[in-house]
């Protein structure tokens, strides 16, 4: 009787490749244009989400006492790149969205984070 492990009674090395008995190994389907486009779209969505969320996370980290240089490094950015991204994000939140409604970002928070980035740039 042959061994299930070696397929040989004499202890020869096991065979490689698909089994003659049992369930066949599934083969992966070749990528199609639609699956490739779906992956590309998913990656673009992920990149857009990352670009929207990174400035807000850096802002909160700096307000919580993290050094601006460390916040930039955690985001895999230089301090200058982090400051540019954060500034664009903060500028949109400094202006009131509608008349009579307070801005989303308090001016003092903006000044504190801006000062932290300025100190890290020196």
């Amino acid at each position: 009787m042959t061994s299930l492990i070696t397929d040989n009674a004499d202890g020869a090395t096991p065979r490689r490749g698909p089994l003659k008995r049992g369930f066949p190994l599934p083969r992966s389907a070749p990528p199609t244009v639609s699956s490739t486009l779906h992956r590309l779209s998913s990656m673009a969505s992920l990149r857009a989400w990352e670009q929207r969320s990174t400035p807000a996370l850096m802002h909160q980290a700096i307000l919580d006492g993290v050094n601006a240089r460390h916040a930039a490094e955690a985001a895999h950015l230089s301090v200058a790149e982090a400051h540019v991204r954060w500034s664009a994000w903060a500028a949109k939140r400094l202006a009131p969205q509608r008349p009579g409604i307070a801005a989303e970002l308090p001016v003092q928070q903006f000044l504190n984070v801006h000062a932290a980035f300025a100190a890290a740039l020196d």
Side-chain angles (χ1 to χ4, degrees):
M1 178 175 186
T2 61
S3 167
L4 293 175
I5 297 172
T6 63
D7 282 343
N8 289 321
D10 61 358
T13 59
R15 285 184 317 174
R16 304 280 184 218
L19 296 174
K20 289 185 178 180
R21 302 180 300 254
F23 295 104
L25 298 174
R27 297 181 189 255
S28 59
T32 63
V33 172
S34 63
S35 67
T36 303
L37 289 177
H38 176 72
R39 285 194 329 236
L40 183 61
S41 175
S42 297
M43 294 305 294
S45 296
L46 182 61
R47 185 175 54 251
W49 174 80
E50 181 268 333
Q51 289 176 346
R52 284 191 315 269
S53 63
T54 298
L57 292 170
M58 289 188 299
H59 178 86
Q60 190 58 52
I62 292 168
L63 289 177
D64 290 343
V66 172
N67 182 292
R69 180 170 304 285
H70 294 152
E73 288 171 357
H76 297 271
L77 299 169
S78 69
V79 175
E81 290 171 325
H83 188 231
V84 167
R85 280 197 194 182
W86 172 82
S87 295
W89 173 85
K92 292 177 185 175
R93 282 146 188 84
L94 262 180
Q97 301 299 317
R98 288 178 276 171
I101 304 287
E104 186 179 334
L105 179 63
V107 174
Q108 191 58 50
Q109 279 188 12
F110 174 85
L111 294 173
N112 291 344
V113 175
H114 180 69
F117 274 117
L121 283 169
D122 288 339

